[in-house]
Amino acid sequence: METCTLVSMSILLGVLVRWGVSFNSYSGAGKPPMFGDYEAQRHWQEVTYNLPIQEWYFNTTDNDLNYWGLDYPPLTAFHSLLCAHVAKLINPEWVKLLGSRGYESPAHKLFMRATVLAADLLVYIPAVVLYCCYLTNGSTNKKVGTLLCILLYPGLILIDYGHFQYNGLSLGLTLWGVLGLGLGWDALGSLAFSLALNYKQMELYHALPFFCYLLGKCARQGLTGRGLFSLVKIAVTVLVTFALCWLPFLSDPEQALQVLRRIFPVARGLFEDKVANAWCSLNVLIKIRSILSSDSQFYLSFAVTLLAITPSSLKLLKTPTFWQFKLALVNSSLAFFLFSYQVHEKSILLAALPVCLLLNDLPLVAIYFLQVSTFSMLPLLLKDGLLMPYAVTSLAFLVLSTHLLSALERCTEAQLRLEGYRRLAAWLPAWLPRLDLARIIRRKRWFPPSTLQMPVPGTFPNIRPCQLAVKHRGQ
Amino acid sequence: VAVMAAPVESSGWFPALAIAVSLLKCLFINAYHSTDFEVHRNWLAITHSLPISRWYYENTSEWTLDYPPLFAWFEYGLSQAAVHFDRGMLVVENLNYASPATILFQRLSVVFADLVFIYAVKECCTTVREEKAAKDLLRRPCFVLAVLLLWNFGLFIVDHIHFQYNGFLFGFLLLSVARHLQARHLEGALWFSIVLNLKHINLYVAPAYGIYLLRCFCFTQDNTDGSLRWRSFSPVRLVSLGAVVLSVTAASFGPFVAMGQLPQVLSRLFPFKRGLCHAYWAPNFWALYNVLDKALSMLGVRLGLLDVAGLPKASMTGGLVQEFQHAVLPSVSPPTALLCTLLAMLPALWCVWRRPCGGRGFLRCLVQCALASFMFSWHVHEKAVLLAVLPLSILAVESRRDAGIFLMLATTGHYSLFPLLFTPAEFPIKVLLMLLFTIYSFSALRNLFSGEGSLLHPLEALYLLGLVAVEVLCEVVFPLSPWQQTLPFVPLLVTSVYCALGVSYSFVRLYVSLLTQEVTEKTKRL
């Protein structure tokens, strides 16, 4: 069958599954007084539509920052403004200042879900299609199989179309950045990634690999010739993009500072709720939150994170290949997730995107991580009443990806790219037991079904992301 | 669904397809469901809470039991499981009871009942003839058939959103077809008797079964020129056939005959008080007839030939199910409709009697009978088009001409189901699924018969593209126009009439292909 037929069918199926999930409940449905992320997004539409830009990030009588104050960079605010204009055309009640708090209706839900779908159709899905068609290896069937698997990744679907968020936009823009870099269009790639950074500050998790890859590439081209020219071009692109996004806030330094204060809330503590990262797990044994002061917690997490991401970034600087770049993305986002400050469980999606890009090369490991990442968000999904869509999409992803990518057949040590690990293990003293990592990974394939029966919140899934981070650093 | 170019021997693709579609069905549990949901909940309640003697008399709810007794037994079995979900749904007085547990149970029951359908599709796939074993899995007829049946748009929409148990019923029908194709006629007759006693709409195709079984099963041999050898009549076979059919019917109707309730049961099963057409006209001959009548009456009034006051008051397009009379053309009564149906079926039955051509000839006759009944019967539901579309899929993967007719009938028939899902939230689902199925069916069938010319005539392709225009007109343009208030039935009318053209055309083409096949057979013999 022709590629375009297969691709269009995959897209249709991906959109169908998304819309199917959207029938379910969203975060904070029917739960006054605060409701949830859905109400937060609606509130931002209300605030951005009714108030002047200067008041968006400030605490005023009309804008109570304690009730879902804006805490994302300006591009999110502009996106909310756009949605608010459309909402006003359909039903002004939805964005009435102060009068629309907690507004819930089937029509409004349809509208909000439609905005998420529109963002996905415009940004995320085209990026995935282009990535699979141009930057993956293999036959047409294999490429389309990868496309279908990435589109059906349950974590993103459940959070965006269930819980309710716009991760598809920020991850889509990042993916456009990766696409640009992969195809050699560095300036456009940096433009896309700058936009992603200006949409969600969590994209900083991905920033270092982008920086190191571009710097390394320019250094390769010679820092006193073409390399310098490329570097300057990229720097100008990034600066102009940032300037344009922050333009309304640059007139007054107090404005810019307030925005920064809102998007980087350092007063909130090492972690909140249960999240599958190192600090939360460590807290089970050593009550780290009570031992260290708030400042020392911040510095400790900063130090450990830096330690974790330095090796891959240095390697990337030295050998700026696309494969190294993808691995560095995984490593960096996972390191930030595991060791950073104030991490939310949804941030695993930032690690999941680069892992999706590895589906074609390391199917078994990637599928395993993607399953576990969705599972790690289960407490959040249960709170939103999304158990059935979770079960359905996870099972579907597992069945389809193992079948389409022949994951179980490609498990030799060479295919799992474990040579680096073996070389590392050779350095260890002889009396330490050598773990046959390949055999462990093969046995792990049985884990995903069993994890479905053991909803242990938070701490359990932490171990696997750790292992994955270790594995990639070793290469 | 794209599958990697795995070795031809790998059989994991069928479970993967079945699991994938079942999981997709589970995703729409919270979508819109029609009054049919309440109908089945009511039947669960009736069969669980009341004694058998009251089943066909109970009318607390307007949705009285109007399927044959075997289906009532099926509902009784389901109600035993329903007890563990929510006892509230089994109380007869709880009209429109739809707690989350009830919805979950009923939706899951449809998904599980579809296991019968999945098994039947598997059996049908084994009967498909493959001329040359294609290397690529996507090009194998059995794969294409599996997708066309398992992922059929009409079945998905009607069963898992609108809510019905058609998958379960079609499972038995397709199983009986598969058995006949495998020359296991007695077993095929058994499955057909079961499905006939589950839903009496299958009477539409009973003549095909009757004639074919009589001709090919009871008469064991043919003459050398293919005609009937009267001497080879086997009474044993006739008796065994009768025994199978009668025993199933006895198991189903037995208790009610014993209680003397047969007239009541039959009156429930065949309610002829309902009008010629459903509230939404099925795209059959009578839709065209109604429109012609309306057009002629309006023309007559305009030209002064008719008196406005003399026209019947009852509006056919008022959206109510009632008896009405035609203004200009002769009115149609149930016996007339029955006569038309029988006349429409007769040529196909005659062909199968004279020269059966094996299982495939029977399948062709079955499709003809189903379509003829759809075209001319009394009070047809638009969902009945599936009775013709699904068996035609089997023929479509084997013959180029049938593939062309299938594309025409399936696309038109599926589009005619659009008005069933009229809520805004379900609009993307029906569009996406329709696109998915249509793109796949066109592409896969074209690949199967590549090199043998195109499947559709350009005019046919133009007609099908016109469906997109009709959809845009009816669901996007019309609601925003000023006529939405004054003439709200126009979208339904336009959809119904436009699709009726396509369905009638497919009906005629099927007959032409059947009769020309007859002629070519004759000329070959000469």
Side-chain angles (χ1 to χ4, degrees):
Chain A
M1 254 198 242
E2 303 96 25
T3 319
C4 66
T5 316
L6 289 173
V7 167
S8 51
M9 278 172 39
S10 305
I11 297 175
L12 286 171
L13 201 57
V15 178
L16 188 63
V17 172
R18 282 163 165 73
W19 197 254
V21 171
S22 79
F23 279 111
N24 296 280
S25 169
Y26 46 82
S27 92
K31 290 190 187 122
M34 284 301 279
F35 302 95
D37 270 336
Y38 177 90
E39 168 63 14
Q41 297 285 350
R42 190 215 56 73
H43 179 69
W44 295 345
Q45 290 173 13
E46 172 198 333
V47 163
T48 53
Y49 185 79
N50 291 301
L51 301 177
I53 295 188
Q54 291 76 20
E55 291 184 36
W56 286 357
Y57 286 89
F58 283 90
N59 206 355
T60 64
T61 36
D62 288 332
N63 184 14
D64 178 13
L65 289 183
N66 281 330
Y67 185 81
W68 302 114
L70 259 173
D71 52 6
Y72 282 134
L75 210 56
T76 299
F78 297 139
H79 178 231
S80 298
L81 181 62
L82 183 64
C83 295
H85 278 287
V86 180
K88 183 79 189 212
L89 283 174
I90 305 175
N91 184 351
E93 291 291 309
W94 293 346
V95 287
K96 202 163 101 176
L97 186 61
L98 294 176
S100 56
R101 290 239 179 132
Y103 191 99
E104 289 180 292
S105 81
H108 187 237
K109 183 180 171 194
L110 189 59
F111 165 70
M112 297 290 271
R113 298 288 196 205
T115 57
V116 183
L117 185 63
D120 258 9
L121 282 173
L122 288 171
V123 182
Y124 183 70
I125 293 181
V128 176
V129 171
L130 289 174
Y131 176 82
C132 288
C133 288
Y134 294 109
L135 289 174
T136 44
N137 311 314
S139 66
T140 312
N141 283 0
K142 190 108 159 306
K143 290 187 185 190
V144 177
T146 314
L147 171 66
L148 192 60
C149 290
I150 299 182
L151 283 181
L152 290 181
Y153 167 56
L156 188 58
I157 300 179
L158 289 167
I159 293 295
D160 271 12
Y161 292 86
H163 180 82
F164 200 89
Q165 273 205 333
Y166 290 98
N167 292 305
L169 246 177
S170 63
L171 292 176
L173 286 169
T174 309
L175 193 52
W176 278 103
V178 171
L179 204 60
L181 263 57
L183 294 172
W185 306 330
D186 294 340
L188 286 173
S190 352
L191 169 69
F193 185 65
S194 312
L195 287 174
L197 270 175
N198 279 302
Y199 192 84
K200 279 208 172 149
Q201 69 275 32
M202 272 82 79
E203 289 293 335
L204 279 172
Y205 287 22
H206 293 143
L208 201 58
F210 270 87
F211 177 73
C212 292
Y213 178 72
L214 287 169
L215 190 60
K217 233 177 122 180
C218 292
R220 270 284 166 91
Q221 290 175 332
L223 269 175
T224 52
R226 279 194 59 215
L228 186 64
F229 176 65
S230 316
L231 196 60
V232 167
K233 198 165 69 163
I234 293 168
V236 167
T237 316
V238 172
L239 285 170
V240 168
T241 317
F242 268 82
L244 282 175
C245 291
W246 286 68
L247 200 60
F249 305 98
L250 291 176
S251 51
D252 182 9
E254 186 51 38
Q255 284 273 334
L257 272 175
Q258 175 66 359
V259 177
L260 284 171
R261 250 178 254 134
R262 287 298 301 168
I263 66 182
F264 294 112
V266 286
R268 277 161 79 172
L270 197 53
F271 63 87
E272 230 169 68
D273 273 347
K274 294 233 178 300
V275 59
N277 77 353
W279 306 125
C280 189
S281 316
L282 196 59
N283 206 42
V284 174
L285 301 167
I286 313 169
K287 293 282 174 245
I288 198 166
R289 265 201 294 202
S290 22
I291 297 178
L292 296 173
S293 71
S294 176
D295 274 344
S296 359
Q297 285 171 16
F298 180 70
Y299 291 131
L300 176 66
S301 71
F302 181 75
V304 178
T305 314
L306 206 60
L307 196 66
I309 61 176
T310 311
S312 68
S313 311
L314 288 177
K315 179 92 194 276
L316 184 58
L317 260 177
K318 220 173 54 158
T319 50
T321 62
F322 193 61
W323 169 245
Q324 207 63 42
F325 173 56
K326 286 201 287 195
L327 287 177
L329 277 174
V330 175
N331 180 264
S332 168
S333 42
L334 260 179
F336 269 95
F337 178 77
L338 287 170
F339 304 114
S340 176
Y341 199 75
Q342 212 14 249
V343 173
H344 286 266
E345 64 261 280
K346 298 192 277 296
S347 307
I348 194 88
L349 293 175
L350 290 157
L353 177 73
V355 174
C356 281
L357 304 182
L358 296 178
L359 263 174
N360 208 17
D361 310 288
L362 299 165
L364 187 62
V365 179
I367 294 170
Y368 185 72
F369 176 78
L370 293 172
Q371 280 289 112
V372 167
S373 64
T374 318
F375 174 66
S376 74
M377 294 189 285
L378 189 58
L380 179 70
L381 298 172
L382 283 175
K383 213 163 45 155
D384 295 334
L386 293 169
L387 180 59
M388 174 60 90
Y390 163 77
V392 166
T393 46
S394 290
L395 202 55
F397 179 75
L398 186 64
V399 167
L400 279 176
S401 55
T402 3
H403 193 84
L404 290 177
L405 302 172
S406 315
L408 298 176
E409 280 113 51
R410 294 155 69 186
C411 309
T412 64
E413 209 178 75
Q415 283 171 328
L416 287 171
R417 313 261 187 143
L418 290 172
E419 307 93 1
Y421 173 74
R422 197 146 33 89
R423 269 182 285 153
L424 194 71
W427 283 87
L428 295 173
W431 46 267
L432 274 182
R434 269 164 186 45
L435 294 172
D436 187 346
L437 208 54
R439 196 157 359 128
I440 294 178
I441 291 175
R442 274 195 292 272
R443 252 191 244 124
K444 296 251 188 328
R445 76 183 184 219
W446 298 118
F447 253 108
S450 64
T451 56
L452 285 171
Q453 297 142 20
M454 289 192 297
V456 174
T459 51
F460 171 65
N462 168 46
I463 312 164
R464 318 292 163 214
C466 253
Q467 272 184 333
L468 208 68
V470 167
K471 194 175 91 60
H472 286 310
R473 270 214 312 284
Q475 295 181 18
Chain B
V1 176
V3 176
M4 193 174 154
V8 180
E9 313 314 320
S10 87
S11 57
W13 58 268
F14 189 84
L17 279 178
I19 292 174
V21 77
S22 306
L23 288 172
L24 192 63
K25 292 169 187 170
C26 292
L27 217 45
F28 298 107
I29 286 180
N30 287 322
Y32 157 82
H33 53 78
S34 69
T35 47
D36 274 333
F37 181 87
E38 167 61 15
V39 168
H40 288 278
R41 184 215 62 78
N42 187 39
W43 295 354
L44 280 175
I46 291 178
T47 52
H48 185 86
S49 321
L50 300 176
I52 302 178
S53 55
R54 299 275 319 145
W55 286 3
Y56 282 91
Y57 282 92
E58 174 58 39
N59 61 358
T60 313
S61 160
E62 62 181 299
W63 311 115
T64 54
L65 194 55
D66 56 4
Y67 276 19
L70 202 56
F71 197 85
W73 289 116
F74 169 66
E75 293 276 9
Y76 177 72
L78 279 182
S79 68
Q80 302 307 312
V83 167
H84 302 292
F85 279 76
D86 185 348
R87 276 190 175 271
M89 73 173 109
L90 298 170
V91 176
V92 180
E93 285 75 28
N94 277 349
L95 297 181
N96 295 313
Y97 185 81
S99 69
T102 312
I103 296 179
L104 185 68
F105 170 72
Q106 293 235 73
R107 292 285 201 197
L108 285 181
S109 68
V110 185
V111 178
F112 276 101
D114 268 2
L115 285 171
V116 178
F117 184 69
I118 293 174
Y119 175 67
V121 171
K122 188 148 184 298
E123 289 297 306
C124 287
C125 288
T126 57
T127 65
V128 170
R129 283 193 289 231
E130 296 186 41
E131 261 132 37
K132 44 187 189 324
K135 280 234 170 74
D136 186 8
L137 179 65
L138 299 183
R139 288 178 160 262
R140 288 178 65 191
C142 56
F143 178 82
V144 176
L145 181 64
V147 177
L148 288 179
L149 287 174
L150 287 174
W151 289 71
N152 185 285
F153 168 80
L155 210 53
F156 194 102
I157 292 287
V158 171
D159 269 14
H160 301 281
I161 302 185
H162 182 85
F163 196 90
Q164 271 202 337
Y165 286 92
N166 290 308
F168 174 66
L169 300 167
F170 275 110
F172 286 109
L173 185 69
L174 287 179
L175 194 56
S176 101
V177 165
R179 291 291 176 249
H180 281 304
L181 290 173
Q182 293 163 343
R184 286 151 69 169
H185 297 290
L186 218 49
E187 211 186 313
L190 171 69
W191 296 120
F192 183 68
S193 325
I194 292 179
V195 81
L196 194 57
N197 280 292
L198 281 170
K199 192 166 178 183
H200 50 296
I201 199 176
N202 296 289
L203 274 175
Y204 283 179
V205 297
Y209 273 89
I211 301 291
Y212 175 73
L213 282 171
L214 193 61
R215 173 68 171 82
C216 289
F217 187 64
C218 298
F219 290 95
T220 46
Q221 283 172 0
D222 288 343
N223 289 328
T224 37
D225 65 346
S227 70
L228 183 58
R229 183 183 292 189
W230 290 94
R231 293 262 189 90
S232 66
F233 181 74
S234 158
V236 174
R237 287 201 169 183
L238 183 65
V239 166
S240 58
L241 204 57
V244 164
V245 176
L246 284 173
S247 56
V248 174
T249 317
S252 166
F253 280 88
F256 298 93
V257 173
M259 288 187 286
Q261 292 188 351
L262 194 60
Q264 170 68 2
V265 175
L266 288 176
S267 77
R268 281 284 181 89
L269 256 53
F270 300 102
F272 282 109
K273 277 281 176 318
R274 299 187 192 161
L276 175 64
C277 287
H278 198 40
Y280 158 60
W281 300 348
N284 63 4
F285 177 77
W286 302 124
L288 296 173
Y289 192 81
N290 289 345
V291 152
L292 191 62
D293 181 69
K294 199 75 173 172
L296 286 176
S297 73
M298 282 191 344
L299 195 65
V301 167
R302 189 70 62 86
L303 293 176
L305 295 168
L306 290 172
D307 182 16
V308 180
L311 290 174
K313 282 286 183 229
S315 162
M316 297 171 265
T317 53
L320 295 170
V321 177
Q322 56 188 351
E323 300 209 46
F324 54 76
Q325 293 174 318
H326 291 93
V328 175
L329 300 169
S331 276
V332 182
S333 61
T336 325
L338 186 62
L339 192 64
C340 292
T341 314
L342 287 174
L343 284 174
M345 282 197 223
L346 221 50
L349 295 173
W350 175 244
C351 285
V352 99
W353 175 262
R354 283 212 34 189
R355 220 163 298 285
C357 305
R360 271 154 189 84
F362 156 68
L363 190 51
R364 201 173 295 278
C365 179
L366 189 146
V367 173
Q368 282 291 46
C369 290
L371 204 50
S373 312
F374 179 80
M375 288 291 291
F376 296 102
S377 274
W378 184 263
H379 201 84
V380 174
H381 285 242
E382 59 283 346
K383 308 179 208 104
V385 76
L386 293 175
L387 197 55
V389 169
L390 287 172
L392 188 54
S393 321
I394 307 178
L395 292 173
V397 298
E398 288 180 348
S399 134
R400 199 188 122 256
R401 222 162 19 160
D402 289 330
I405 304 174
F406 171 79
L407 287 178
M408 191 67 177
L409 183 63
T411 315
T412 314
H414 287 163
Y415 179 72
S416 72
L417 297 173
F418 263 39
L420 283 177
L421 297 185
F422 50 86
T423 44
E426 277 66 26
F427 176 77
I429 305 178
K430 68 184 182 190
V431 170
L432 291 168
L433 263 175
M434 179 79 183
L435 280 173
L436 202 54
F437 183 80
T438 313
I439 291 177
Y440 180 78
S441 56
F442 273 79
S443 163
L445 288 175
R446 196 157 31 113
N447 273 350
L448 269 185
F449 301 108
S450 59
E452 294 179 44
S454 71
L455 291 174
L456 288 179
H457 192 265
L459 283 177
E460 294 173 346
L462 199 64
Y463 170 83
L464 290 177
L465 283 173
L467 286 174
V468 178
V470 171
E471 168 66 7
V472 169
L473 227 75
C474 291
E475 295 218 48
V476 180
V477 174
F478 189 79
L480 301 170
S481 74
W483 298 297
Q484 168 69 2
Q485 313 302 327
T486 46
L487 302 169
F489 57 84
V490 163
L492 292 181
L493 185 75
V494 170
T495 314
S496 164
V497 170
Y498 194 83
C499 293
L501 293 171
V503 174
S504 316
Y505 173 76
S506 308
F507 176 67
V508 169
R509 261 201 72 178
L510 267 174
Y511 253 121
V512 166
S513 98
L514 180 71
L515 294 172
T516 46
Q517 214 174 42
E518 260 283 297
V519 171
T520 45
E521 292 282 318
K522 264 212 189 106
T523 45
K524 257 194 238 166
R525 234 153 291 249
L526 290 174

